[in-house]
Amino acid sequence: MNTHPHERPRILLHDPTLRDGHHAVGHQLDADQLRAYAIAANAAAVPVVEVGHGNGLGASSLQIGRSKLDDATMLTTVREALTSSRMGVFMAPGWGTSEDLEASVHHGADIVRIAAHCTEADVTERHLGVVRDLGAEAQGVLLMSHMTGPGELAEQCALMVNFGAQAVGIMDSAGHYLPSDVTERVHAIADAVDVPVIFHGHNNLGLAVANSLAAVDAGATVIDATARGFGAGAGNTQLEVLVAVLERCGAETGIGLREVLAAADIAADRLMKAPPTIDSIAVASGIAGVFSGFRRPVLQTARAEGVDPIDLFLALGERQVVAGQEDLIGDVARRLKAAAR
């Protein structure tokens, strides 16, 4: 990180442990688990704690998994535990609705992220306007951002700013980026907008912390990270590691290191069966550029159809599948099986 000796850049860490982490446990966290982690994150002065179904507001469904609790119960539980941290929610148009946004703000959401595929920012216009009208902070994020280049991402982010987004950025949904990829993209976005830039990393290739540092160097000031990297597949950028690394680099996060380490221990003990690891499937997902949340259905389908899951991930990558296209997994698997005969 390149900083002036007297300059301590302020980085806002956004913690989606209780939202993105949900992917790792089939969206089955209960109220006691949500409460325990939220209390610990609040004690660590984590600025924003994001909560909800892994795919966001309104996403609980048979297709992608029903959550143990409904949105209202999750939000109410976490809101009561956060006395100083702000509460965030996430919504992708198509799964959530304006009614879901209204309910989330009613239940205490301070920050609402509206997500879109990396080339489809136009679908966020209505919902960003609704969030602004509701008085919450509106943010826009682009999913599967490796699927297009820096210039297009910058244009799409600028569109979301025009729609009312007060912070914009990109998600490395498949854990596909190298630091140089992040640098190019974040630089382009930061040059194109006058609001804070967001980066959200995944760890499929073991580069989530390095990519987050590259994002900071390139101008991002809002970085996502989860306790113990809790998330689908190889997981997300690891929050407590990132706090320590940023401290070493001279950045200011406002988060207590001892307290965030304690929160991470609670996450490990209470939220997950085992910490995320970078196994062969995670690497295949990262190289193929396929959303990490496809891990479970890919493994299930590969087993049922008798095909290699790594081959299935690579084939899905060639088809450039995105979240919401889970129904294609079976079709691609059957084609692989037929081709092998």
Side-chain angles (χ1 to χ4, degrees):
M1 182 180 300
N2 302 312
T3 61
H4 188 276
H6 301 296
E7 183 184 0
R8 283 177 63 83
R10 178 76 180 198
I11 306 301
L12 188 147
L13 296 186
H14 186 110
D15 177 2
T17 296
L18 299 180
R19 196 276 302 170
D20 214 353
H22 243 144
H23 286 295
V25 291
H27 319 287
Q28 295 303 296
L29 296 178
D30 62 31
D32 288 341
Q33 291 171 304
L34 295 174
R35 186 180 300 108
Y37 182 74
I39 289 170
N42 185 79
V46 173
V48 182
V49 177
E50 189 175 279
V51 61
H53 184 282
N55 291 75
L57 296 173
S60 180
S61 64
L62 288 175
Q63 180 192 18
I64 54 176
R66 290 200 178 279
S67 54
K68 180 181 283 288
L69 306 175
D70 60 27
D71 289 341
T73 303
M74 287 190 275
L75 297 179
T76 300
T77 300
V78 172
R79 179 71 274 169
E80 290 173 352
L82 300 180
T83 59
S84 55
S85 300
R86 291 185 289 168
M87 186 170 74
V89 293
F90 173 98
M91 195 195 87
W95 281 324
T97 65
S98 294
E99 288 72 24
D100 292 314
L101 294 178
E102 291 169 7
S104 73
V105 175
H106 172 74
H107 290 298
D110 302 294
I111 296 173
V112 180
R113 282 189 172 173
I114 306 298
H117 183 64
C118 59
T119 58
E120 299 173 3
D122 57 313
V123 304
T124 68
E125 181 174 10
R126 177 166 173 261
H127 296 297
L128 286 168
V130 169
V131 176
R132 292 297 298 269
D133 289 344
L134 290 167
E137 180 176 332
Q139 298 185 351
V141 289
L142 299 174
L143 309 177
M144 301 296 286
S145 60
H146 67 280
M147 287 185 164
T148 192
E152 175 75 8
L153 291 172
E155 290 176 11
Q156 296 290 311
C157 282
L159 264 183
M160 292 191 292
V161 173
N162 289 338
F163 298 154
Q166 294 157 283
V168 292
I170 55 174
M171 293 192 165
D172 183 15
S173 310
H176 185 70
Y177 282 146
L178 303 177
S180 57
D181 299 321
V182 176
T183 298
E184 280 189 309
R185 284 159 174 79
V186 172
H187 262 312
I189 295 166
D191 285 346
V193 302
D194 57 1
V195 299
V197 175
I198 301 162
F199 178 75
H200 174 110
H202 282 244
N203 205 38
N204 297 63
L205 302 180
L207 292 170
V209 170
N211 285 340
S212 297
L213 289 182
V216 169
D217 273 342
T221 55
V222 181
I223 306 293
D224 290 6
T226 63
R228 285 288 198 278
F230 191 36
N236 295 43
T237 306
Q238 194 165 339
L239 175 64
E240 65 279 12
V241 175
L242 186 60
V243 170
V245 171
L246 287 171
E247 186 173 292
R248 281 216 59 198
C249 291
E252 177 62 51
T253 67
I255 296 175
L257 180 58
R258 286 183 180 274
E259 291 81 3
V260 80
L261 291 172
D265 289 342
I266 287 172
D269 291 342
R270 298 290 302 274
L271 306 185
M272 59 190 83
K273 293 178 182 177
T277 58
I278 305 174
D279 60 13
S280 299
I281 298 301
V283 174
S285 173
I287 288 293
V290 175
F291 173 48
S292 299
F294 273 39
R295 179 188 180 92
R296 286 171 182 263
V298 164
L299 290 175
Q300 290 168 355
T301 304
R303 193 177 304 115
E305 298 293 341
V307 300
D308 186 325
I310 293 176
D311 288 340
L312 182 50
F313 259 117
L314 295 175
L316 290 166
E318 290 175 4
R319 289 284 297 271
Q320 293 197 318
V321 296
V322 298
Q325 295 181 316
E326 285 83 354
D327 56 331
L328 290 177
I329 296 172
D331 293 341
V332 174
R334 286 185 284 275
R335 290 184 185 184
L336 283 175
K337 187 176 181 178
R341 286 174 181 162

